[in-house]
Amino acid sequence: MYRLLILNPGSTSTKIAVYDDEKPVFTENVSHSLAELGRYRNVMDQLPMREKVVATTLAEHGIPYASLSAVISRGGLLPPVKSGAYKVNEDMVWQLTHAPVNEHASNMGAVIADRIARQYGIPAYIYDAVTVDEMTDLAKVTGFPGTRRRGMGHNLNMRAAAIRYAKEQGKAYRDCTLIVAHMGGGITLSLHHNGTIEDFVSDENGPYSPERAGDIPSYQLVDICYSGKYTHDELLKLLHGKGGLLLDIGLTDGREIEKKIAAGDAKAKLFYDGMALNIARYVGLLSIYVSGKVDGIILTGGIAYSHYIVDFITQHVRFIAPVVVYPGEKEMESLAYGGLRVLRGEEKAYEFVKSVNSH
């Protein structure tokens, strides 16, 4: 039996779990107040506090560090990496500490995992990091110098959904061609083909979502940028965090929006249906890469609980392939299962090499 410690630091919480093989022993989500976090200048200054949270949680559940077989963490904002597992090493710790692609709480995960692993002589891994980018050059090129489409999004949950689908169909993941849409506060989509994520729709060039503006007509966006109405930071907030449905109709909760639609709110219906249509549109776009030869379309994430959205999308894309729904996200389970595949020799972990030019 393998006992795994699973770590998933988020902006305002630390998720911690212990698994005995596939069986969860416990899962905790420890919240951090804005007042608590406000004491720290940057993310890495939070390390002692986050480590103490992990230690306290394990102690509360009677789990000694010495009983662990490995530590599996959510991957931070590394330079582009492949899908699957990476062994946490000195280069990765240096990268996340000194030169991450961006500052985010997830950067602490591998650093905490490394400290625990070194002290107790066990391996530490990350799995399906946010910055997995296996897109081909053909899929990345744009018509404007210095810009490229990027494969950065909900890789952990999307790839776990694709692997689950393949297993349920009695096939190997590499033998399936799947389009996966993760639908939550942000929406990203991916094409899984030949065992890799060959094409990707990120939240900056895809559907608008409850909190993000998504793809915007470029000429109009340039006019907005030079209108003098917004600072650089204000505009980025509107694009990522305060845009989408929040800006359009003042709500992000699909349940509340559907109540307004049922009550006859035409504006709510227009923008909610528009989001669903955009998701379907980008499913169609990804299918073009493989000439429409798709085995299945998977809808996942929190919004996949909505029959309204799922039915709308299904009506528009089922001519491409059958639609399967895996609602919610199972990040902790996905990390545990990925780690188990490595420990059992079913997958090999990559070695990370630092990049001094990651910004």
Side-chain angles (χ1 to χ4, degrees), residues 158-174:
M158 288 196 287
R159 192 162 174 270
I163 291 171
R164 173 182 170 183
Y165 174 92
K167 185 176 181 180
E168 289 178 357
Q169 298 299 314
K171 297 180 179 179
Y173 167 67
R174 65 179 177 275

Side-chain angles (χ1 to χ4, degrees), residues 93-340:
V93 171
W94 180 91
Q95 191 82 58
L96 292 169
T97 304
H98 301 290
V101 170
N102 206 343
E103 186 169 282
H104 189 267
S106 61
N107 296 343
M108 291 183 285
V111 180
I112 297 171
D114 181 68
R115 293 181 179 184
I116 295 170
R118 287 179 181 277
Q119 184 173 353
Y120 293 95
I122 56 177
Y125 303 98
I126 63 167
Y127 200 87
D128 282 345
V130 174
T131 52
V132 167
D133 189 344
E134 299 175 319
M135 293 169 65
T136 63
D137 289 339
L138 181 62
K140 286 185 178 183
V141 292
T142 74
F144 195 88
T147 67
R148 287 289 185 271
R149 295 178 64 234
R150 297 186 292 184
M152 182 161 57
H154 306 90
N155 291 293
L156 180 61
N157 192 48
M158 288 196 287
R159 192 162 174 270
I163 291 171
R164 173 182 170 183
Y165 174 92
K167 185 176 181 180
E168 289 178 357
Q169 298 299 314
K171 297 180 179 179
Y173 167 67
R174 65 179 177 275
D175 294 330
C176 295
T177 299
L178 303 167
I179 295 171
V180 186
H182 176 100
M183 308 181 298
I187 296 172
T188 58
L189 299 91
S190 52
L191 172 70
H192 301 248
H193 182 57
N194 293 327
T196 60
I197 303 172
E198 289 195 359
D199 202 0
F200 202 96
V201 175
S202 72
D203 61 4
E204 68 177 342
N205 68 336
Y208 64 86
S209 72
E211 299 174 358
R212 298 172 195 176
D215 190 12
I216 298 173
S218 55
Y219 297 169
Q220 295 174 47
L221 182 58
V222 170
D223 288 341
I224 293 170
C225 291
Y226 283 87
S227 68
K229 294 181 180 179
Y230 308 103
T231 66
H232 176 271
D233 289 346
E234 287 171 344
L235 193 53
L236 283 179
K237 279 288 186 184
L238 289 175
L239 293 174
H240 191 280
K242 293 185 177 180
L245 296 179
L246 179 61
L247 197 59
D248 290 328
I249 54 180
L251 293 171
T252 60
D253 189 325
R255 293 164 296 187
E256 294 302 316
I257 295 171
E258 289 174 25
K259 288 179 184 177
K260 290 176 75 70
I261 293 171
D265 190 320
K267 183 179 179 181
K269 178 173 173 56
L270 175 65
F271 284 101
Y272 203 54
D273 287 2
M275 183 182 73
L277 180 61
N278 268 273
I279 296 168
R281 179 181 289 132
Y282 282 97
V283 168
L285 182 149
L286 288 175
S287 74
I288 292 171
Y289 189 96
V290 289
S291 303
K293 297 176 182 177
V294 179
D295 296 313
I297 297 164
I298 302 171
L299 305 180
T300 186
I303 297 176
Y305 283 109
S306 167
H307 295 295
Y308 185 106
I309 293 291
V310 167
D311 290 347
F312 190 108
I313 296 170
T314 300
Q315 288 177 16
H316 287 80
V317 303
R318 60 187 173 195
F319 74 95
I320 300 170
V323 176
V324 177
V325 183
Y326 297 145
E329 58 82 13
K330 298 183 179 180
E331 290 185 339
M332 306 303 277
E333 177 184 289
S334 301
L335 289 169
Y337 288 7
L340 280 173

Side-chain angles (χ1 to χ4, degrees), residues 80-97:
V81 293
K82 297 179 180 179
S83 60
Y86 278 79
K87 192 174 186 348
V88 178
N89 58 18
E90 289 184 10
D91 276 16
M92 184 182 294
V93 171
W94 180 91
Q95 191 82 58
L96 292 169
T97 304

